């Protein structure tokens, strides 16, 4: 029988992922809203940039975790045969 290996994210990682989603969403919202002035547009670009830049290291961490999880699952399968 196969064991399902699963990489669990820590609470801090989940919180950071949520914050980056909020920053991206708020930035996009401010950029798409036509009624706001240049100050809000600058804030929208800042939020969008911060959200995008902070997403990269988190995505790398999650992808490395998934790769490690898949590797360990393959190793378990090969030893189980």
């Amino acid at each position: 029988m196969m064991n399902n290996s699963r990489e669990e994210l820590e609470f801090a990682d989940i919180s950071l992922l949520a914050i980056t989603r909020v920053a991206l969403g708020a930035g996009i919202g401010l950029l798409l809203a036509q009624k706001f002035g240049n100050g809000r547009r600058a804030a929208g670009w800042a939020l969008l940039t911060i959200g995008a830049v902070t997403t990269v290291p988190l995505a790398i961490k999650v992808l490395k975790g998934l790769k490690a999880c898949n590797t360990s699952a393959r190793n378990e399968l090969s030893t189980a045969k």
Side-chain angles (χ1 to χ4, degrees), residues 3 5-6 12-13 18-19 22 26 33 38 40 43 45-46 50 62 70 72-74 77 79:
N3 290 335
S5 296
R6 187 171 78 175
D13 294 333
I19 290 168
V22 169
N38 287 338
R40 300 278 172 120
W45 278 112
I50 290 169
V62 169
N70 288 337
S72 66
R74 273 190 242 123
L77 284 175
T79 58

Side-chain angles (χ1 to χ4, degrees), residues 23-68:
L24 281 169
I28 291 170
L30 286 172
L31 289 173
L32 292 178
Q34 298 296 323
K35 62 183 176 181
F36 294 129
N38 287 338
R40 300 278 172 120
R41 189 165 299 276
W45 278 112
L47 286 170
L48 181 68
T49 303
I50 290 169
V53 168
T54 56
T55 298
V56 172
L58 291 171
I60 290 170
K61 182 177 181 179
V62 169
L63 291 175
K64 281 184 180 179
L66 290 175
K67 184 178 177 182

